[in-house]
Amino acid sequence: MANTLETTPITGTTTWKLDPMHSQIGFSVKHLMITTVRGRFNTVDAAIQLDEQDFTRSSVEATIDARSINTGVEYRDNHLRSGDFFSTEETPDITFRSTRIERKRDDEYNVYGDLTIRGVTKPVVLDTNYEGRGPGMDGVERISFSAKTEINRKDFGVNWNVALEGGGVTVSDKVKLELDIQAVSPAASVTAEADAEAAAAK
């Protein structure tokens, strides 16, 4: 996976970092055209340049380690890492970079951006909801968003499939993505850095 994201703050924004322990990047796809199989990526790094006065002036960048895919079945996960699907040896990272944010109503937004899978970049729109904010048990401020979208995996060169004898295919082309994101305030990063420096000085 790429190194921790380094982003240049937009004027008037602050950088909130993903809390991986309380976030999930999930997906679902139809198997044999009748059953939904779900999975997630365990390793994700993301930074939100947040304008708290106007979310539409915010931005987000994320990097997902495709090697961390987890559907709960080791054989299937290894197949998904292979050249038939994500080809993680050649292209281990999936990335997303927002291009603009549009408010729909109340706490609902469209987040437009570029999604890159297997080195192929396509525009996507995340149907996003602001879920709220508040302090965690450690007193550090947190903010939460949920988002979903649907992509066609063949748009990104993920073409493997097997035709079924009775018609249809083994794996659907359409993949649903669902995100539940919790991010910590800039103060948390400052505190973490100070703790690390103090520990190194001992």
Side-chain angles (χ1 to χ4, degrees), residues 171-187:
V171 182
S172 66
D173 294 340
K174 292 182 179 180
V175 181
K176 294 181 179 179
L177 304 178
E178 295 184 0
L179 297 75
D180 290 288
I181 301 299
Q182 186 176 120
V184 295
S185 72

Side-chain angles (χ1 to χ4, degrees), residues 31-134:
H31 179 247
L32 304 180
M33 303 183 71
I34 57 173
T35 304
T36 299
V37 173
R38 303 181 189 279
R40 61 177 292 174
F41 294 97
N42 291 333
T43 305
V44 184
D45 185 27
I48 302 171
Q49 302 292 347
L50 187 66
D51 187 321
E52 298 187 46
Q53 301 302 314
D54 183 355
F55 284 174
T56 66
R57 295 201 297 257
S58 303
S59 66
V60 60
E61 294 187 12
T63 299
I64 299 169
D65 187 346
R67 296 168 296 188
S68 71
I69 195 168
N70 181 3
T71 66
V73 179
E74 184 176 2
Y75 171 80
R76 181 167 59 209
D77 293 344
N78 287 334
H79 189 198
L80 290 171
R81 295 183 187 106
S82 75
D84 285 341
F85 288 92
F86 289 107
S87 191
T88 59
E89 286 192 10
E90 290 77 21
T91 53
D93 290 342
I94 298 170
T95 63
F96 175 80
R97 284 179 167 78
S98 66
T99 53
R100 68 185 177 94
I101 298 175
E102 173 187 88
R103 185 171 183 265
K104 294 193 293 183
R105 66 186 71 85
D106 298 329
D107 293 328
E108 298 179 23
Y109 297 83
N110 282 330
V111 178
Y112 297 82
D114 294 326
L115 178 65
T116 301
I117 301 174
R118 286 185 58 137
V120 178
T121 302
K122 296 290 182 179
V124 297
V125 183
L126 299 178
D127 181 7
T128 304
N129 285 281
Y130 168 57
E131 301 292 351
R133 64 183 294 169

Side-chain angles (χ1 to χ4, degrees), residues 123-187:
V124 297
V125 183
L126 299 178
D127 181 7
T128 304
N129 285 281
Y130 168 57
E131 301 292 351
R133 64 183 294 169
M137 295 181 66
D138 54 4
V140 175
E141 191 79 5
R142 285 169 162 79
I143 195 165
S144 178
F145 298 90
S146 62
K148 59 185 178 180
T149 193
E150 184 175 280
I151 63 172
N152 187 320
R153 61 189 178 90
K154 287 186 175 180
D155 290 343
F156 299 90
V158 184
N159 298 315
W160 183 91
N161 226 328
V162 174
L164 301 175
E165 186 174 330
V169 291
T170 303
V171 182
S172 66
D173 294 340
K174 292 182 179 180
V175 181
K176 294 181 179 179
L177 304 178
E178 295 184 0
L179 297 75
D180 290 288
I181 301 299
Q182 186 176 120
V184 295
S185 72

